[in-house]
């Protein structure tokens, strides 16, 4: 089948939104589909949101291929007669982040107009789609709650899980993620101030913008923990990331209200390592259960510190949690055969 | 340096522009630059399709890149503070209604002035745009020279700018311009968007550039 996979991206920025596209394209091609990946630039600035909706709407792919799979908004507005959405998140500032510290869109009449435009554009795109899939229960729940729309959860598997393995249980926690404030690396940095063990933290990933690097660097200096944090602020080779996870005591993934369980959770469980997450981290809790497959604690430095100390002090327990995480992953039977079959049905 | 290489692309097709874009990306990456290829889908060079794509491109926003290298019309009209245009093909490749083509040519003339620098891959296009000629390289040595030129353009005061001539419009073209304004408006209505003030302002600016008033 001729398939177009379209998604909005921030150029040169890596992260889950890019990985899901790259992995899907590769797995479609491996199954002999002819695939075009269209990665179109976007930027999450309130003043520009509406015209970016218009830009996507003006792109006409009606005679291009037999199926359009649109992933990240606003690519869902591209015109195509056989469009399915693998919807990974809303324009969240207009929905669940409205009236939070992460709102972004200004309050007031102008902000309300932007929100209404986004709501209307989403309604149009959802109405045109022949099917709507999501990457998590939480995104499906938001679609139901905000848009009155039913959807099917289609969990994205890892692109290639074969490199993940379990090594030693070292005295460090690794946090593989884009560096940006909503991922809250600063909370983990601050937590080191309160640990009673000599736990270390390895932050793997690049900042979205320079200011994001500064906020982590400032946190490291402010809390006097530079000798216990490794933070290069760059992406590293997959093999190096896998090695770091393989020898960590756990992976941390503590975003604010994440859309899905997040690739770090899959990477951690694939390496038989527990996941440390927070009670308000959203989709992570679809897989991470406190005391079963990891630790789920309040988003407070002292609580994170206590959980890290527990894992470092009782590595046998950490290994049991990691093993349970690995089994949980097996039970889900995540696989690209199923994903491809559903998206092309 | 973070570099975006921008061009149009016919999905499931392959063109000279695709080949050059891919090779340019490889050459830049081999020299340590982070490269993003932005392929703006364009199914037809028919003037109406190009007009839609042109307006879409003016509403795309590229951030986090230090430099945009844009290769063909209308992709090379993408807005960015540091755009170097290396034109492999221009507005003259558009087919379809004669009345629309002056609109596109005027948009080209207007928005090329925003570019940091403009060069063209062949003499005819360079003459029309009044720019340097930078032919497509044939080997690695020529690519090294080419990259020096393209990156050099971005580092210095612009040596050349798009200076294509704007065209006075016929009554038919003005009518089509009005129709296009309505069409973009209709798209916004189809989106059920209540236009916000910045969007209205920029929409008017984009569309005005198609006419003969903005020169």
């Amino acid at each position: 089948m001729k398939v177009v996979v379209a998604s909005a991206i921030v150029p040169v920025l890596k992260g889950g939104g890019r990985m899901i596209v790259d992995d899907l394209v590769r797995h479609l091609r491996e199954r002999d589909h002819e695939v075009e990946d269209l990665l179109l630039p976007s930027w999450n600035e309130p003043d520009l949101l509406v015209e970016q909706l218009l830009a996507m709407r003006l792109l006409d792919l009606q005679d291009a291929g037999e199926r359009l799979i649109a992933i990240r908004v606003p690519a869902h507005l591209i015109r195509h007669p056989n469009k399915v959405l693998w919807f990974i998140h809303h324009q969240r500032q207009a929905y669940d982040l409205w009236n939070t510290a992460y709102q972004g869109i200004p309050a007031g009449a102008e902000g309300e107009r932007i929100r209404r435009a986004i709501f209307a554009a989403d309604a149009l795109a959802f109405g045109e789609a022949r099917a709507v899939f999501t990457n998590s229960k939480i995104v499906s729940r938001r679609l139901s709650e905000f848009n009155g729309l039913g959807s099917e959860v289609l969990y994205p598997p890892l692109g290639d899980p074969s490199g993940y393995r379990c090594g030693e249980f070292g005295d460090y926690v690794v946090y593989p993620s884009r560096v940006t404030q909503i991922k809250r690396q600063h909370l983990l940095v601050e937590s080191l101030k309160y640990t009673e063990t000599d736990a270390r933290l390895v932050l793997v990933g690049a900042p979205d913008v320079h200011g994001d690097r500064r906020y982590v660097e400032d946190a490291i200096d402010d809390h006097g923990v530079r000798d216990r944090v490794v933070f290069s602020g760059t992406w590293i080779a997959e093999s190096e990331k896998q090695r770091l996870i393989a020898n960590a005591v756990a992976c941390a993934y503590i975003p604010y209200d994440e859309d899905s369980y997040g690739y770090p959770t899959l990477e951690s469980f694939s390496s038989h390592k527990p996941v440390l997450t927070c009670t308000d981290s959203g989709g992570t809790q679809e897989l991470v259960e406190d005391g079963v497959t990891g630790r789920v604690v309040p988003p407070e430095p002292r609580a994170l510190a206590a959980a890290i100390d527990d894992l470092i002090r009782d590595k046998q327990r950490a290994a049991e949690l990691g093993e349970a995480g690995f089994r949980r992953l097996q039970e889900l039977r995540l696989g690209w055969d199923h994903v491809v079959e559903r998206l092309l049905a | 340096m973070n570099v975006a290489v921008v061009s149009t692309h016919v999905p499931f097709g392959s063109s000279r522009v695709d080949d050059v874009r891919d090779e340019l990306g490889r050459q830049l990456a081999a020299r340590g630059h982070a490269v993003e290829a932005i392929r703006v889908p364009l199914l037809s060079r028919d003037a109406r399709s190009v007009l839609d794509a042109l307006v879409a491109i003016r509403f795309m926003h590229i951030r986090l890149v230090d430099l945009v290298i844009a290769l063909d019309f209308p992709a090379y009209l993408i807005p960015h503070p540091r755009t170097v245009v290396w034109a492999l093909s221009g507005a003259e490749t558009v087919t379809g209604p004669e009345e629309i083509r002056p609109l596109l040519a005027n948009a080209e003339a207007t928005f090329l002035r925003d570019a940091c620098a403009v060069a063209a891959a062949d003499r005819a296009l360079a003459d029309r745009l009044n720019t340097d000629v930078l032919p497509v390289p044939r080997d690695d040595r020529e690519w090294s020279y080419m990259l020096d030129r393209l990156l050099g353009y971005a580092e210095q005061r612009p040596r050349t700018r798009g200076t294509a001539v704007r065209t006075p419009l016929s009554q038919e073209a003005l009518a089509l311009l009005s129709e296009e304004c309505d069409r973009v408006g209709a798209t916004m209505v189809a989106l059920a968007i209540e236009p916000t003030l910045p969007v209205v302002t920029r929409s008017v600016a984009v569309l005005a550039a198609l006419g003969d008033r903005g020169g």
Side-chain angles (χ1 to χ4, degrees):
Chain A
M1 187 186 285
K2 284 187 171 181
V3 184
V4 178
V5 178
S7 193
I9 58 154
V10 178
V12 307
L13 200 66
K14 295 184 179 178
R18 176 63 69 94
M19 285 168 71
I20 193 172
V21 175
D22 292 346
D23 292 342
L24 174 61
V25 167
R26 193 171 78 250
H27 283 274
L28 284 165
R29 286 183 178 144
E30 283 175 9
R31 287 157 181 80
D32 292 330
H33 297 288
E34 196 176 342
V35 186
E36 279 282 350
D37 53 329
L38 290 177
L39 302 173
L40 298 161
S42 72
W43 186 246
N44 217 355
E45 192 173 307
D47 191 33
L48 307 178
L49 290 175
V50 176
E51 61 191 50
Q52 292 180 117
L53 300 177
L54 185 58
M56 294 292 173
R57 192 61 183 166
L58 286 168
L59 297 178
D60 179 7
L61 289 177
Q62 303 206 60
D63 295 320
E66 299 146 80
R67 181 64 49 91
L68 169 69
I69 301 171
I71 297 187
R72 183 167 176 262
V73 294
H76 63 334
L77 284 166
I78 295 172
R79 290 171 286 160
H80 193 281
N82 274 309
K83 175 165 66 178
V84 302
L85 310 184
W86 197 5
F87 192 79
I88 59 173
H89 59 72
H90 287 82
Q91 191 73 52
R92 294 183 59 193
Q93 304 104 308
Y95 287 97
D96 58 296
L97 296 182
W98 185 253
N99 278 333
T100 74
Y102 304 101
Q103 174 180 315
I105 297 173
E110 186 66 16
E112 288 291 353
R113 280 196 289 274
I114 293 170
R115 283 186 87 200
R116 281 201 296 276
I118 291 169
F119 294 163
D122 284 347
L124 179 73
F126 296 147
E128 291 174 340
R130 55 182 287 159
V132 179
F133 301 94
T134 70
N135 57 337
S136 71
K137 289 177 186 168
I138 200 162
V139 173
S140 281
R141 192 164 61 239
R142 287 182 197 146
L143 278 174
S144 172
E145 181 182 333
F146 293 122
N147 310 95
L149 184 71
S151 58
E152 177 181 334
V153 178
L154 202 53
Y155 287 122
L158 282 177
D160 178 12
S162 63
Y164 293 92
R165 64 193 186 283
C166 185
E168 303 294 317
F169 279 74
D171 290 333
Y172 67 89
V173 170
V174 61
Y175 190 172
S177 168
R178 288 187 296 125
V179 175
T180 183
Q181 297 200 20
I182 204 165
K183 304 292 185 183
R184 301 191 301 197
Q185 281 89 354
H186 66 284
L187 284 181
L188 272 179
V189 170
E190 187 177 350
S191 76
L192 292 185
K193 202 166 65 171
Y194 302 110
T195 53
E196 293 172 359
T197 65
D198 291 331
R200 289 173 296 121
L201 173 63
V202 179
L203 300 174
V204 172
D208 283 2
V209 295
H210 183 71
D212 291 330
R213 182 188 187 100
R214 193 68 258 157
Y215 112 93
V216 174
E217 296 281 5
D218 286 349
I220 292 170
D221 289 335
D222 289 349
H223 300 298
V225 293
R226 185 160 290 283
D227 58 332
R228 295 167 62 199
V229 181
V230 176
F231 175 49
S232 66
T234 57
W235 291 104
I236 58 176
E238 279 297 295
S239 57
E240 177 60 7
K241 181 176 76 176
Q242 290 162 351
R243 186 189 68 77
L244 283 167
I245 296 173
N247 294 297
V249 72
C251 274
Y253 193 51
I254 59 164
Y256 172 73
D257 202 11
E258 178 60 85
D259 312 298
S260 69
Y261 45 59
Y263 282 104
T265 304
L266 294 188
E267 292 166 344
S268 188
F269 286 172
S270 295
S271 307
H272 304 252
K273 302 289 176 172
V275 172
L276 171 59
T277 190
C278 288
T279 48
D280 64 351
S281 288
T284 57
Q285 287 166 76
E286 289 181 31
L287 288 189
V288 186
E289 195 178 345
D290 190 37
V292 179
T293 56
R295 294 302 314 275
V296 184
V297 301
E300 297 158 7
R302 289 179 192 277
L304 287 162
I308 291 169
D309 279 340
D310 288 347
L311 292 165
I312 298 269
R313 284 180 179 134
D314 189 351
K315 290 180 176 167
Q316 179 59 39
R317 179 72 182 134
E320 289 168 6
L321 297 175
E323 199 56 37
F326 180 77
R327 285 198 302 275
R328 176 85 178 95
L329 211 52
Q330 303 304 304
E331 288 162 10
L332 282 177
R333 297 181 186 280
L334 302 181
W336 283 102
D337 283 338
H338 177 64
V339 169
V340 169
E341 180 194 326
R342 295 301 298 142
L343 290 173
L344 299 186
Chain B
M1 194 183 289
N2 292 336
V3 184
V5 181
V6 184
S7 68
T8 65
H9 171 65
V10 180
F12 305 105
S14 180
S15 69
R16 173 170 169 265
V17 173
D18 291 319
D19 294 341
V20 173
R21 182 198 59 239
D22 293 347
E23 185 59 28
L24 175 59
R26 274 192 292 273
Q27 295 283 346
L28 285 163
R31 288 158 178 80
H33 300 288
V35 183
E36 188 76 66
I38 304 291
R39 302 180 303 159
V40 180
L42 182 58
L43 295 179
S44 151
R45 302 299 290 183
D46 171 79
R48 282 201 176 277
S49 300
V50 173
L51 199 47
D52 272 356
L54 189 156
V55 176
I57 284 162
R58 290 300 297 178
F59 283 147
M60 288 181 183
H61 296 281
I62 296 185
R63 295 292 192 276
L64 300 190
V65 303
D66 306 299
L67 173 66
V68 168
I69 300 176
L71 301 180
D72 66 346
F73 178 82
Y76 56 51
L77 305 185
I78 198 159
H80 187 274
R82 284 176 92 200
T83 299
V84 169
V85 173
W86 178 30
L88 302 175
S89 68
E92 71 283 350
T93 59
V94 175
T95 61
E98 291 291 336
E99 296 84 3
I100 297 180
R101 286 194 239 169
L103 303 177
L104 301 175
N106 281 350
E108 181 186 58
T110 301
F111 294 126
L112 273 182
R113 294 190 184 114
D114 297 341
C116 195
V118 183
D122 66 65
R123 171 56 62 192
L125 188 51
D127 286 347
R128 188 173 70 74
L129 299 177
N130 192 19
T131 67
D132 291 349
V133 182
L134 289 182
V136 176
R138 291 165 297 187
D139 55 36
D140 281 350
R141 189 182 57 81
E142 290 187 358
W143 270 109
S144 289
Y145 171 75
M146 169 62 74
L147 294 189
D148 285 347
R149 292 293 297 269
L150 293 177
L151 299 178
Y153 279 144
E155 296 300 327
Q156 64 191 29
R157 291 282 299 167
R159 295 173 58 229
T160 54
R161 287 179 180 274
T163 52
V165 177
R166 295 178 60 81
T167 314
L169 297 182
S170 64
Q171 286 302 313
E172 291 79 6
L174 286 170
L176 280 164
L177 176 60
S178 170
E179 188 185 313
E180 179 63 17
C181 289
D182 289 344
R183 201 146 62 100
V184 173
T187 304
M188 295 178 95
V189 171
L191 282 167
I193 288 172
E194 177 188 356
T196 67
L197 189 58
V199 172
V200 170
T201 305
R202 285 192 286 260
S203 299
V204 168
V206 168
L207 292 168
L210 303 171
D212 60 354
R213 299 182 299 279

